[in-house]
Amino acid sequence: MQDHDQYRLFLHLAESLSFTRTAADCHVSPATLSRTVQRLEAATGHRLLDRGPHGVSLTQHGRSFRRYAAEALDLWACYRNEDTVDDLSGHLRVFASVTACESLLPDLLAPLRAAHPRVRISLRTGDAASALALLEQSEADLAVAALPGRIPATLLAREITHTPLVLVQAATATTEQPPVLNEPFVLPRQGLVRTAADHWFRSLGVHPHIAAEADGHEALITLVALGYGTGIIPDLVLQHSSVRTRLRQLPAAGPGPLPIGVCIRRADLHRPLIAAVWAVTQPGNRSEQASPS
């Protein structure tokens, strides 16, 4: 159907944010793609894309329409396949940190892959601190991330494991170290680990010297390995880090454990694809993750 073809073009453009790339990937001319966007904007009565000197970006209406278009294509696919679960198809956009991709996603998404092999998955990685914000902004359909104490009302979350927060130093550091809390620290720039670290320091009456900050735990652990200071990181990151042999874990206890969970938008639960992925991520429907020790 023509509308569905337009939706597919728009969804690709919403991901690529490049008219040239979408036109090439979808085998249409740039002029055809521009006319498609213009028709959609005329039909919705809203500007869906901002075109500026720094590139293309989605407007608020564009993000809302992207969600609608994804839902419409999911429902159409179910209708074409007579709503049989085994024939479920569609496009699932997943966000997770590099560590979560390596340690959690294979077991978490294996049941979905087995039950619904026609579902396409796009996987985006980045700073774990951005996960829930990207989900709320409709930049992802599913996020695997650390869970805050209070989940926003617009989201649904399910804990799948937890990990302690540990203190690490470069393995080359000398054994005659000053007390740990008097040393330079390397901390995340933002996110739940940074919040936990700040609370921990305050509870101890310590004003730490922060030698460096990093976006993402994988980047942070590299700075620690280079000797910039003591890092506070999830043990899950340490256990799966390629620079683990260049680090040593300190015996001192750090902040409390960090819960890790899978999150979706509450409003998306009526979508067949999202309902399916939410169902298969229940503990009884996936391989259980052992809590890191």
Side-chain angles (χ1 to χ4, degrees):
M1 296 177 67
Q2 186 177 10
D3 283 350
H4 294 154
D5 291 338
Q6 293 179 7
Y7 295 168
R8 292 186 186 96
L9 284 174
F10 179 80
L11 289 174
H12 191 292
L13 180 58
E15 290 290 331
S16 71
L17 297 179
S18 168
F19 276 80
T20 301
R21 179 179 170 185
T22 292
D25 288 351
C26 298
H27 307 290
V28 298
S29 69
T32 297
L33 181 58
S34 292
R35 286 195 296 271
T36 296
V37 173
Q38 290 169 2
R39 283 195 292 269
L40 291 174
E41 290 180 330
T44 61
H46 297 288
R47 190 176 73 257
L48 303 178
L49 295 167
D50 281 329
R51 307 164 183 82
H54 300 295
V56 178
S57 62
L58 287 170
T59 65
Q60 181 178 352
H61 288 292
R63 289 192 292 270
S64 297
F65 183 76
R66 177 173 60 181
R67 188 184 308 175
Y68 165 79
E71 292 178 10
L73 291 178
D74 283 349
L75 291 171
W76 175 245
C78 288
Y79 171 75
R80 288 288 300 272
N81 294 309
E82 298 179 346
D83 270 342
T84 56
V85 175
D86 289 344
D87 288 332
L88 184 67
S89 62
H91 179 205
L92 180 69
R93 298 168 300 147
V94 180
F95 178 89
S97 68
V98 172
T99 296
C101 289
E102 295 174 346
S103 61
L104 300 176
L105 283 190
D107 285 331
L108 185 68
L109 295 181
L112 179 71
R113 176 64 176 165
H116 310 295
R118 297 179 60 192
V119 171
R120 296 178 295 111
I121 296 177
S122 295
L123 184 55
R124 177 177 176 181
T125 64
D127 184 2
S130 304
L132 297 191
L134 290 173
L135 192 62
E136 291 198 283
Q137 294 165 8
S138 299
E139 298 291 327
D141 302 309
L142 178 82
V144 178
L147 300 179
R150 179 175 296 178
I151 304 297
T154 54
L155 302 180
L156 288 173
R158 176 183 292 134
E159 183 175 343
I160 56 176
T161 189
H162 64 272
T163 179
L165 297 180
V166 296
L167 305 179
V168 291
Q169 285 183 338
T172 55
T174 62
T175 56
E176 295 183 1
Q177 293 290 325
V180 169
L181 298 180
N182 292 336
E183 297 174 1
F185 275 85
V186 181
L187 299 178
R189 197 180 310 278
Q190 59 183 344
L192 294 180
V193 173
R194 177 58 181 266
T195 300
D198 290 342
H199 288 169
W200 183 60
F201 287 128
R202 283 198 296 270
S203 72
L204 298 173
V206 171
H207 299 282
H209 166 48
I210 300 174
E213 296 176 312
D215 292 321
H217 301 134
E218 293 82 11
L220 185 153
I221 208 170
T222 297
L223 294 177
V224 174
L226 290 171
Y228 281 91
T230 299
I232 299 179
I233 60 167
D235 185 60
L236 192 65
V237 175
L238 176 63
Q239 299 307 319
H240 290 84
S241 174
S242 59
V243 298
R244 181 183 175 188
T245 57
R246 301 178 62 176
L247 300 164
R248 66 176 182 183
Q249 182 176 338
L250 301 179
L258 192 68
I260 309 296
V262 57
C263 308
I264 63 171
R265 286 183 297 274
R266 187 181 297 273
D268 285 352
L269 197 55
H270 72 281
R271 293 173 54 190
L273 176 54
I274 302 303
V277 73
W278 189 243
V280 300
T281 56
Q282 293 186 59
N285 293 329
R286 59 180 171 82
S287 300
E288 288 301 313
Q289 291 291 328
S291 297
S293 58

